Amino acid sequence: MSLETALTRLSASELANRIRTGDVTASDAVEAHLEQIERLDDELNAFVTVCADDAREAAAEADRALERGDHVGPLHGVPLALKDLGALKEGVRHTSGSPLFSENVASETSAIVERLENAGAIVIGTTNTPEFGHKGTTDNGLIGPTASPIDTDLNAGGSSGGSAAALAAGMTSLATGSDAGGSLRIPAAACGVYAIKPTFGLVPDDGRPTAFGRKTQHVTKGPMARTVEDAALMLEAMAGSHPADPSSVPVDIDPLGALEDSIDDCRIAYSPDLDVFPVTEEVRAVVEDALGAFEAAGATVEEITVDHGSTLEELQEATMATYMTSILETATVLEEAHGIDVREHPDEVSDSFLAMVHIGEKYGPTELARSGIVRTEFYDAVQDVLAEYDVLLTPTLSRADVGLREDLASSAWEWPLTWPFNWTGHPVAAAPAGLSADSHPVGLQLAGGRFEDETVLAASRALERERPWDHLYE
């Protein structure tokens, strides 16, 4: 195995340690990942922009800092990919997955990127996303679809699909993502990596021109990685209140400390389908086999019903009101901030995004108010479960075979069991559960009480110890 290949298989925490001890250099690490991008990305299509020259320069400076004996952060020299939506770095092209913004260059750096860079991470490029992050598969009119490295006939999931694929293929050590309906968790499941949607407000979002569009659907940014420890390292750097985000909260957590917590006394609830989702036997078999890992780690696992009282159709109608309104809000902000009415650019805007804009126009305060009743009933039902149990487990996706260019228009809300948790704001992780009989990746969701992110991380780490998933990247 070459040095370059070996470095791209290391966890971020191990790579950072080897850089700090002088075993390898930051320049070695960056060069190895750039070579991996060159070797694999033509097939996977995970990156939109590769910042090769800037990354090499930053790595050289990181090496000089160690030579000088400077104090360095926990991610010193580790390559980081940024989702090409909301995670901005000044001077880098950020397209939001849209041909309309193909030449857009960020004029500022987002708070979470600044924090990760302060911890020592080196931005290596930006990763693919569907146009404005509007759907659960990654495909756009700018660079096309992103494939899952586990099976390139499958889509990487969305909307953080480029980040998940880049991680699974060893093209980056860490990556950012964001989640409005499952956009961290869907691609984590589709690519066999780990992601956590933190409790809403824990990770700040200083995005502009509006700071008030993230509450109804609880949109949040979060870490994506190959290991739970790496995600905890990222979350430790990213979390913390910020004056530019009116939704951020001053809650202190200890992500890394949580990894040492035992789950001996942990009570885990398992819902095979959130009462209503059409989960396939293929997925259910893999997830239920993985439940034994928690029992082996000392936890008790009980199958439950969530008892939210709604049919899948009623849940879908509620999320149509919230999600489609948020898409219309995106279109409105684009018009106000950039003078671009997406409805006047049908040749440059995807049909699916335009369709969502038009659907959003049909919803108003009345529909949102009605949806609030359904959303509250679901929230209360999850709270009731988490009052009795420490963690709620579900499959991440109802099926594991979504094709690279598959159109999910008729079943988009049936596929992910993720979006109801964007109403509730609970922390929810997505971890690899294993491979199906057809070698398709299957994911497991772990939900915890609000601001109990440490509990979610501890349970995730227990799963990883009992059922390691690093073989997925070989």
Side-chain angles (χ1 to χ4, degrees), residues 72-91:
V72 298
L75 299 177
H76 190 77
V78 174
L80 167 71
L82 306 178
K83 180 180 181 179
D84 195 17
L85 181 68
L88 304 177
K89 178 169 172 56
E90 183 179 359

Side-chain angles (χ1 to χ4, degrees), residues 201-420:
L202 195 62
V203 171
D205 189 339
D206 61 339
R208 293 297 185 268
T210 176
F212 294 98
R214 298 182 286 275
K215 289 188 176 180
T216 302
Q217 193 67 24
H218 285 141
V219 183
T220 186
K221 293 176 169 60
M224 306 185 78
R226 290 190 294 268
T227 73
V228 179
E229 181 181 7
D230 290 353
L233 269 171
M234 282 189 74
L235 185 58
E236 190 161 88
M238 297 166 74
S241 62
H242 193 284
D245 183 359
S247 298
S248 69
V249 291
V251 174
D252 290 328
I253 64 167
D254 181 12
L256 288 172
L259 305 185
E260 304 303 319
D261 293 345
S262 168
I263 65 166
D264 280 348
D265 298 323
C266 192
R267 298 194 65 209
I268 295 178
Y270 166 59
S271 170
D273 54 10
L274 286 178
D275 299 358
V276 294
F277 282 82
V279 177
T280 64
E281 286 303 317
E282 175 188 42
V283 168
R284 188 176 297 219
V286 176
V287 169
E288 293 185 355
D289 182 64
L291 298 181
F294 298 100
E295 294 171 329
T300 58
V301 181
E302 298 177 23
E303 184 171 327
I304 56 111
T305 55
V306 180
D307 296 330
H308 49 73
S310 293
T311 65
L312 180 57
E313 290 72 22
E314 289 168 336
L315 292 177
Q316 287 176 318
E317 181 55 35
T319 204
M320 290 284 279
T322 58
Y323 193 79
M324 298 305 178
T325 299
S326 74
I327 295 296
L328 178 60
E329 179 182 321
T330 295
T332 302
V333 170
L334 289 172
E335 186 172 3
E336 290 294 317
H338 302 282
I340 298 174
D341 185 343
V342 295
R343 287 156 289 206
E344 295 178 353
H345 298 270
D347 294 335
E348 298 171 275
V349 178
S350 64
D351 292 341
S352 54
F353 182 74
L354 283 177
M356 289 185 180
V357 171
H358 292 308
I359 293 170
E361 292 171 336
K362 299 177 182 179
Y363 292 96
T366 299
E367 289 78 17
L368 280 173
R370 288 174 179 157
S371 78
I373 297 172
V374 175
R375 287 182 280 141
T376 300
E377 289 170 346
F378 187 89
Y379 173 84
D380 287 345
V382 172
Q383 286 290 90
D384 287 345
V385 171
L386 292 173
E388 186 175 354
Y389 297 90
D390 300 292
V391 177
L392 169 60
L393 302 181
T394 79
T396 307
L397 304 173
S398 65
R399 46 179 289 217
D401 59 351
V402 171
L404 181 62
R405 295 182 180 272
E406 184 171 344
D407 183 1
L408 286 174
S410 62
S411 59
W413 300 110
E414 297 176 4
W415 179 40
L417 285 75
T418 53
W419 46 269

Side-chain angles (χ1 to χ4, degrees), residues 65-140:
L66 285 173
E67 290 170 1
R68 293 191 299 267
D70 294 352
H71 173 75
V72 298
L75 299 177
H76 190 77
V78 174
L80 167 71
L82 306 178
K83 180 180 181 179
D84 195 17
L85 181 68
L88 304 177
K89 178 169 172 56
E90 183 179 359
V92 172
R93 182 175 73 133
H94 286 276
T95 72
S96 299
S98 172
L100 293 173
F101 290 86
S102 62
E103 301 303 324
N104 178 62
V105 175
S107 60
E108 57 188 8
T109 297
S110 297
I112 60 164
V113 177
E114 182 176 319
R115 289 178 176 184
L116 289 166
E117 288 188 311
N118 287 342
I122 294 174
V123 173
I124 201 167
T126 65
T127 55
N128 202 23
T129 181
E131 193 168 26
F132 306 115
H134 76 283
K135 61 181 181 178
T137 52
T138 293
D139 191 1
N140 57 47

Side-chain angles (χ1 to χ4, degrees), residues 444-464:
L444 177 67
Q445 258 189 143
L446 306 90
R450 283 168 54 77
F451 301 106
E452 294 296 328
D453 301 63
E454 293 173 7
T455 301
V456 172
L457 288 165
S460 300
R461 182 68 185 102
L463 171 64
E464 186 182 30

Side-chain angles (χ1 to χ4, degrees), residues 175-196:
T176 66
S178 56
D179 198 310
S183 289
L184 281 159
R185 293 160 286 154
I186 295 170
C191 295
V193 299
Y194 181 80
I196 180 168

